[in-house]
C-alpha cells in the first residue's frame, strides 16, 4: 500500500501509528480534515486480517466522520481510530491508558469516543490520561448511553423522510420494516410505536425480535424476508450494504431511512434508488444524533440543549432533499455536496481573512 498516495487521493491530513509493547496496544489514528474544527471520531477495536486492512478502515471511517460532522452542522472535523485486536480477549486497562496518552499528545487535534468493540468503560480509562474524549460515564458529567439519542435523531429524520415521500411527516398508520432490533433500533421502535406506526421487525437475535413483538406488537419476519415485505419505509438498522442489486429488486418500500452505516453497497445503488423514485435519507445525515449529542460534552454537557440539537436532524435531512431537487441529483450525492459546501465556505472565509491580514501588513 502506497500510504502517501492514499492520503493525497482524498486529502487526508495525518495518519499516526501508536504502539505500546507492555499492553499490546496497536492503534492507528487517521485525521481526515480539520477545516471546521478538531477531528472527532470514535475508537473501533477489531480483529483485522492484516495491518493494511486496518489502515484502510481507519482512513475510510475518518473521511466518513468529516462528512457526518459537517452535514450535522458541527464545528468539528473528521477522524477515527482503529485498535487491532479482539475486543473480547485482548483488552486491558493499560492499553486504553496508553492510548489516552497518545491522544493527549495531539493536544486537542483529535477527540475520540466509543465505537464498535469499545465501551463507556474504555472511554473512562482513556479519560484518566486525557480530556479529549467523549462518551464517558454519566457520573463524570458526560451523556452516557448514546443509543436512545441516536434513535431520537433517527426518528426525527424519518419524519422528514415521510414528509418528502408521502406529503406528511406523520408516521401514524405507516408501516415501517426495521432490519435489526439492537439498542438504537429498539428505541426507534418505541418512538414509532408511540406515534402509531405499524412495525415489521427482523434480527438474527431471536430474543431481540421477541422483545419488539412483546413490547410494541410488531410483526416478526425472517431476516431474508424483510426486503420484500409490503411497507412504507424500510429502516436498515443492522449491517451495511443492504441496498444492493439483489435487494433493490425486492424492495417495495417508498422510502429508506435507517441507522446502519454504509447502507449503499456502491454509489450506483443510490442512483438506482433515485431512478426508481424511492426517497433515501443518507445514512450519515440521519444517524448523526449520537455524534451531535457527544459533541455537546465538549462545551459542558447540557441534556436539554443537546436534545434540541439532535432534533435538528429533521432539518438536515430536509436540506439534503432540497439540494437533491435543486441540482437534480440523487440524495446520497446531495448529502456529500451539502457537507462539501459547508467545508468549502469555511476554507474560503479563512483564505479571505489571510489575504486581508497580508494586505494590512503590507501597508503598515
Amino acid at each position: 500500500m502506497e500510504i502517501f498516495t492514499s492520503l493525497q487521493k482524498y486529502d487526508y491530513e495525518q495518519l499516526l501509528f501508536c504502539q505500546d509493547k507492555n499492553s499490546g496496544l496497536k492503534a492507528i489514528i487517521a485525521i481526515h480534515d480539520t477545516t471546521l474544527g478538531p477531528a472527532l471520531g470514535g475508537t473501533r477495536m477489531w480483529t483485522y486480517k492484516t495491518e493494511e486492512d486496518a489502515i484502510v478502515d481507519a482512513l475510510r471511517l475518518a473521511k466518513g466522520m468529516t462528512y457526518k460532522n459537517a452535514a450535522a452542522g458541527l464545528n468539528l472535523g473528521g477522524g477515527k481510530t482503529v485498535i487491532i485486536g479482539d475486543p473480547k480477549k485482548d483488552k486491558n486497562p493499560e492499553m486504553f491508558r496508553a492510548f489516552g496518552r497518545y491522544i493527549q499528545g495531539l493536544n486537542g487535534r483529535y477527540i475520540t469516543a466509543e465505537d464498535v468493540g469499545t465501551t463507556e468503560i474504555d472511554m473512562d480509562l482513556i479519560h484518566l490520561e486525557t480530556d479529549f474524549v467523549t462518551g464517558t460515564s454519566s457520573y463524570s458529567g458526560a451523556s452516557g448511553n448514546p443509543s436512545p439519542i441516536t434513535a431520537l435523531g433517527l426518528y426525527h429524520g424519518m419524519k422528514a423522510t415521510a414528509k418528502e415521500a408521502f406529503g406528511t411527516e406523520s408516521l401514524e398508520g405507516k408501516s415501517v420494516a426495521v432490519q435489526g432490533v439492537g439498542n438504537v433500533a429498539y428505541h426507534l421502535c418505541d418512538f414509532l410505536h408511540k406515534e402509531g406506526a405499524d412495525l415489521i421487525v427482523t434480527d438474527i437475535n431471536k430474543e431481540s425480535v421477541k422483545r419488539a413483538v412483546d413490547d410494541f406488537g410488531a410483526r416478526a419476519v425472517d431476516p431474508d424476508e424483510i426486503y420484500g415485505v409490503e411497507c412504507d419505509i424500510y429502516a436498515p438498522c443492522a449491517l451495511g450494504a443492504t441496498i444492493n442489486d439483489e435487494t433493490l429488486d425486492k424492495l417495495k418500500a417508498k422510502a429508506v431511512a435507517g441507522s446502519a452505516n454504509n447502507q449503499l453497497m456502491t454509489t450506483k445503488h443510490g442512483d438506482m434508488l433515485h431512478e426508481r423514485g424511492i426517497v433515501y435519507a443518507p445514512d450519515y445525515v440521519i444517524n448523526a444524533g449520537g455524534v451531535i449529542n457527544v459533541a455537546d460534552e465538549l462545551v459542558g454537557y447540557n441534556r436539554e440543549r443537546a436534545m434540541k440539537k439532535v432534533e435538528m436532524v429533521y432539518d438536515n435531512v430536509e436540506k439534503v432533499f432540497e439540494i437533491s431537487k435543486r441540482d437534480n441529483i440523487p440524495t446520497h450525492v446531495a448529502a456529500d455536496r451539502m457537507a462539501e459546501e459547508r467545508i468549502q465556505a469555511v476554507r474560503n472565509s479563512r483564505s479571505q481573512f489571510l489575504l486581508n491580514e497580508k494586505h494590512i501588513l503590507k501597508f503598515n
Side-chain angles (χ1 to χ4, degrees), residues 54 57 92 137 179 219 246 265 267 345:
D57 203 30
N92 59 72
S137 300
Q179 181 197 43
R219 174 165 68 94
E246 183 180 348
M265 177 165 276
T267 55

Side-chain angles (χ1 to χ4, degrees), residues 98-124:
F99 178 54
R101 291 192 289 274
Y102 278 107
I103 294 175
Q104 180 64 20
L106 290 170
N107 198 32
R109 180 170 170 76
Y110 169 66
I111 303 161
T112 199
E114 63 185 271
D115 200 283
V116 175
T118 60
T119 67
E120 194 175 279
I121 294 171
D122 301 328
M123 297 306 109
D124 286 344

Side-chain angles (χ1 to χ4, degrees), residues 66-134:
T66 294
Y67 281 74
K68 174 178 277 194
N69 292 338
L74 300 173
N75 294 315
L76 294 163
K80 205 79 172 187
T81 295
V82 299
I83 295 176
I84 300 172
D86 186 336
K88 294 181 180 178
K89 298 189 301 183
D90 299 330
K91 280 186 184 182
N92 59 72
E94 293 73 26
M95 173 184 289
F96 289 97
R97 293 198 66 164
F99 178 54
R101 291 192 289 274
Y102 278 107
I103 294 175
Q104 180 64 20
L106 290 170
N107 198 32
R109 180 170 170 76
Y110 169 66
I111 303 161
T112 199
E114 63 185 271
D115 200 283
V116 175
T118 60
T119 67
E120 194 175 279
I121 294 171
D122 301 328
M123 297 306 109
D124 286 344
L125 290 167
I126 292 170
H127 193 207
L128 293 173
E129 304 290 344
T130 183
D131 288 333
F132 301 118
V133 57
T134 61

Side-chain angles (χ1 to χ4, degrees), residues 26 52 168 172 203 243 254 293 302 316 344:
K26 294 179 182 177
E52 184 171 326
T168 174
E172 184 177 2
D203 198 298
I243 304 295
K254 297 177 179 63
N293 184 57
N302 179 293
N316 295 335
Q344 192 58 49

